[in-house]
Amino acid sequence: MENQMDALHHSGVEIVHYLQVNYKTSQDWFVFISFAADLRNTFFILFPIWFHLCESVGIKLIWVAVIGDWLNLVFKWILFGQRPYWWVHDTDYYNNISAPIIEQFPVTCETGPGSPSGHAMGSAGIYYVVVTALITLLLKKNKSFSFQKRCFQALLWSGFWAIQACVCLSRVFLAAHFPHQVICGVIAGMVVAEVFEHIQSIYKASLNNYIYTTLFLFCFALGFYLVLKTVGVDLLWTIEKAKRWCSQPDWIHIDTTPFAGLLRNLGIFFGLGLALNSQMYKDSCQEKQDRSFSYRLCCIIASLLVLHLFDSFKPPTKVEMIFYALSFCKSAAVPLTCVAIIPYCISQIVNRKEKVL
């Protein structure tokens, strides 16, 4: 089994080397794709836009992103996946032959296990939701099965697969993942998104549902980590690998550690529950049906601007527990601001103007 995995990893390293040598001029494009596929852009860009255009899609995006990334963390802890940038130096496979030269980049040195790819899994899940939402909206407007509709569906799914191909190639080019890891990530992300296509209870979940789900996700991950640690299995073994083999120490960031991502996502999830069950959201929701597209557009623009300011705030990293706590609070403020505070404030401003007129 070990020999088979070494052979699989070797073939993956060969592909990484091939891409880096033959597509060197596309380096900036691959780095950008990797940045764009980060779940942070789902929370700070896609979610505000979709929530104010179609609330159900926005809510589903958060559930798919958070639950999908939590499952990704559990899978990574179970599968113990290597990453190319450290495996090529750490393995005994190249004792008798020269190892391929693998270049590293500022976004290469992630500290968690590599399988399945979180970028690929998140991207597949999120854009699967977006594509199915657009197709559903098309069906509502035009129930007849026309040639134009077929072309539109084909165009959307072609775009979906083009995005996934770019994300997968990007992560392999950057030596952050092996090819089999990104393929598994895409499949897993689509499965998670498809499951949530059939779960309607998420749109009417109470605050208690969000609280209990948040606690369960955190306690399960923490308990799983502690149980395995007591039997001698260190789930944070990859951090030492990253520190040892990353070519630039300043490329290693605490926000790429498993628990940093977990708390960041749970903060988003908990904040969504607070927002959807807040009085401000209920008050603004009562008038939303009468609001024009310009009102929704104002909410989108204001949300994107405010969330951009949020994103510019970087919690201090000297004390890990303080960093984790501030990351959770910062993330919780994102949906709370986007869903409750901004729509409420804009509706109050509009109401005052209408009364004056």
Side-chain angles (χ1 to χ4, degrees):
M1 183 65 180
E2 184 177 352
N3 292 335
Q4 292 177 344
M5 289 305 300
D6 283 343
L8 180 62
H9 289 148
H10 168 65
S11 63
V13 167
E14 291 288 342
I15 294 174
V16 173
H17 179 70
Y18 175 84
L19 290 175
Q20 290 184 350
V21 170
N22 293 277
Y23 296 92
K24 180 68 175 178
T25 56
S26 302
Q27 173 183 326
D28 292 340
W29 169 250
F30 285 131
V31 172
F32 168 76
I33 289 296
S34 184
F35 167 78
D38 194 285
L39 275 183
R40 178 174 53 193
N41 293 308
T42 297
F43 301 142
F44 284 86
I45 298 176
L46 288 180
F47 170 69
I49 294 173
W50 272 103
F51 182 83
H52 292 300
L53 292 178
C54 183
E55 288 189 7
S56 61
V57 178
I59 293 172
K60 189 191 299 182
L61 281 175
I62 296 297
W63 279 81
V64 169
V66 171
I67 301 301
D69 205 53
W70 180 83
L71 288 171
N72 180 266
L73 174 63
V74 174
F75 287 151
K76 283 182 174 180
W77 278 349
I78 293 174
L79 297 176
F80 282 74
Q82 304 281 343
R83 289 184 185 269
Y85 80 90
W86 76 56
W87 181 85
V88 72
H89 301 292
D90 202 48
T91 182
D92 295 329
Y93 187 83
Y94 298 107
N95 283 345
N96 299 322
I97 57 176
S98 58
I101 299 175
I102 298 299
E103 187 176 354
Q104 297 181 19
F105 306 89
V107 293
T108 297
C109 300
E110 296 203 20
T111 57
S115 186
S117 166
H119 279 71
M121 187 171 175
S123 173
I126 293 305
Y127 285 102
Y128 189 94
V129 171
V130 170
V131 168
T132 53
L134 289 172
I135 292 176
T136 301
L137 292 174
L138 174 67
L139 291 175
K140 286 184 178 180
K141 292 184 178 181
N142 183 13
K143 295 184 178 180
S144 61
F145 198 72
S146 61
F147 175 75
Q148 290 84 354
K149 190 175 71 173
R150 284 186 177 182
C151 291
F152 183 69
Q153 289 179 325
L155 181 64
L156 286 176
W157 285 116
S158 298
F160 170 83
W161 286 112
I163 291 174
Q164 304 319 308
C166 288
V167 172
C168 291
L169 289 173
S170 167
R171 301 304 289 166
V172 174
F173 175 90
L174 297 173
H177 289 289
F178 292 99
H180 70 277
Q181 294 173 343
V182 293
I183 293 173
C184 290
V186 170
I187 295 173
M190 293 177 64
V191 170
V192 172
E194 179 60 28
V195 168
F196 276 98
E197 289 289 324
H198 307 283
I199 300 177
Q200 301 300 314
S201 58
I202 61 175
Y203 307 114
K204 297 180 180 179
S206 65
L207 179 57
N208 285 338
N209 293 141
Y210 279 94
I211 293 175
Y212 294 149
T213 304
T214 301
L215 289 174
F216 170 77
L217 296 177
F218 176 75
C219 291
F220 184 94
L222 181 61
F224 188 54
Y225 167 76
L226 293 176
V227 168
L228 289 183
K229 189 173 183 179
T230 57
V231 297
V233 179
D234 182 15
L235 293 178
L236 300 183
W237 60 276
T238 56
I239 296 179
E240 292 303 320
K241 295 280 189 183
K243 290 180 178 179
R244 182 179 180 185
W245 296 116
C246 185
S247 60
Q248 299 291 335
D250 57 335
W251 288 352
I252 299 176
H253 304 289
I254 190 174
D255 59 354
T256 66
T257 58
F259 279 107
L262 174 67
L263 289 171
R264 182 171 57 246
N265 293 338
L266 294 184
I268 290 285
F269 189 76
F270 179 69
L272 178 64
L274 285 178
L276 292 175
N277 292 277
S278 67
Q279 190 59 45
M280 284 189 294
Y281 169 75
K282 294 176 182 177
D283 291 343
S284 62
C285 219
Q286 290 176 352
E287 304 174 0
K288 188 171 292 185
Q289 299 300 328
D290 300 328
R291 298 302 185 191
S292 61
F293 178 75
S294 59
Y295 168 78
R296 297 177 181 271
L297 185 61
C298 286
C299 290
I300 292 174
I301 295 174
S303 297
L304 292 175
L305 291 175
V306 173
L307 295 186
H308 178 71
L309 295 177
F310 280 177
D311 195 30
S312 64
F313 167 70
K314 306 299 181 183
T317 59
K318 290 184 178 180
V319 182
E320 286 192 25
M321 295 306 297
I322 294 178
F323 172 81
Y324 292 150
L326 291 178
S327 295
F328 180 88
C329 295
K330 172 187 173 181
S331 297
V334 170
L336 191 61
T337 301
C338 174
V339 172
I341 297 176
I342 288 178
Y344 178 80
C345 292
I346 292 179
S347 64
Q348 293 300 307
I349 293 172
V350 172
N351 285 339
R352 289 184 180 179
K353 287 185 177 181
E354 291 177 350
K355 289 180 180 179
V356 171
L357 296 175

